[in-house]
């Protein structure tokens, strides 16, 4: 109720017959506040430090020069793998039932298709519907005795669905190939 009375009461001039100066709040002096000054100073110092780190990093690192692409074809008599060539990979993936897979890969040299023996071959399995959620690997593949250049591995997958089987040859020639495989919970027909 006092707020209503204050709103409708007569001014001091009307009550007393003289004019009373209104109260004034003290003015702040113009200029930025200390918090604003500190914030601006911190931003400036941070940006200057980042710029200095970038310039020093630019000056100290050497640029990489890409090797030129060979325009000449290697001689046909040379049977050694040339740098930059990739092995040919043929994948056969089979669902054995109960979420089990058997993966077989034929690895051969490019051009001559001679089998690559004693190589480092690994396999990865990754569910297509949920990438990186059920990824497994590297699973080392062993060379089958009596079959040069044929590598084999067996693995279990966590759940039914479509899987991407990725075979990677690390040595003697780096190469990668992939194949999709549908995996169910029971033995395939």
């Amino acid at each position: 109720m006092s707020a209503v009375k204050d709103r409708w009461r007569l001014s001091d001039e009307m009550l007393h017959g003289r004019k009373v100066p209104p109260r004034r709040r003290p003015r702040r002096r113009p200029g930025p506040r200390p918090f604003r000054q500190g914030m601006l100073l911190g931003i400036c110092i941070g940006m200057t430090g980042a710029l200095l780190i970038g310039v020093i990093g630019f000056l100290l690192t050497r640029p990489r020069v890409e090797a030129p692409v060979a325009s000449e074809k290697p001689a046909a008599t040379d049977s050694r793998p040339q740098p930059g060539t990739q092995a040919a990979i043929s994948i056969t993936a089979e669902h054995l039932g109960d979420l089990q897979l058997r993966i077989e890969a034929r690895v051969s040299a490019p051009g001559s298709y001679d089998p690559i023996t004693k190589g480092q071959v690994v396999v990865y399995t990754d569910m297509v519907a949920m990438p990186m959620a059920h990824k497994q690997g590297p699973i080392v593949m062993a060379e089958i005795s009596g079959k040069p250049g044929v590598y084999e591995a067996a693995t279990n997958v966590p759940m039914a669905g479509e899987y991407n089987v990725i075979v990677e040859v690390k040595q003697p020639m780096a190469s990668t190939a992939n194949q999709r495989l549908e995996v169910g919970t029971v033995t395939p027909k």
Side-chain angles (χ1 to χ4, degrees):
M1 275 179 76
S2 65
V4 174
K5 286 182 182 178
D6 288 341
R7 183 179 281 170
W8 293 106
R9 74 182 189 125
L10 295 173
S11 67
D12 289 337
E13 183 180 324
M14 294 177 114
L15 285 175
H16 303 292
R18 60 188 162 99
K19 190 169 188 176
V20 177
R23 290 186 188 174
R24 292 189 177 182
R25 292 175 24 192
R27 287 191 175 182
R28 291 186 178 201
R29 59 186 178 146
R33 298 180 190 153
F35 174 76
R36 210 176 282 165
Q37 287 176 340
M39 185 176 71
L40 288 174
L41 182 64
I43 290 172
C44 291
I45 290 173
M47 295 293 281
T48 303
L51 181 64
L52 285 174
I53 290 171
V55 168
I56 290 171
F58 178 75
L59 293 175
L60 294 180
T61 57
R62 292 183 180 173
R64 278 197 220 168
V65 178
E66 293 289 328
V69 178
S71 60
E72 298 178 22
K73 293 186 179 182
T77 59
D78 190 9
S79 62
R80 290 179 291 138
Q82 299 296 322
T85 58
Q86 293 187 347
I89 303 171
S90 174
I91 303 172
T92 306
E94 179 182 10
H95 174 220
L96 301 175
D98 295 330
L99 303 175
Q100 294 179 356
L101 302 178
R102 186 178 67 80
I103 303 157
E104 187 177 290
R106 288 187 184 275
V107 182
S108 57
S112 66
Y113 296 104
D114 293 331
I116 295 178
T117 58
K118 299 178 185 173
Q120 278 186 338
V121 183
V122 294
V123 65
Y124 298 89
T125 59
D126 193 11
M127 192 169 192
V128 175
M130 293 185 274
M132 301 303 288
H134 298 293
K135 186 169 185 172
Q136 292 181 337
I139 302 164
V140 178
M141 298 183 78
E143 189 171 7
I144 300 174
S145 62
K147 294 183 178 179
V150 180
Y151 297 84
E152 182 180 48
T155 185
N156 290 340
V157 291
M159 62 188 297
E162 187 177 17
Y163 281 84
N164 193 20
V165 177
I166 304 162
V167 175
E168 181 178 329
V169 178
K170 295 186 175 192
Q171 290 292 332
M173 297 179 214
S175 185
T176 304
N178 59 7
Q179 178 183 1
R180 290 201 174 178
L181 175 67
E182 185 67 37
V183 177
T185 55
V186 295
T187 306
K189 294 181 182 179

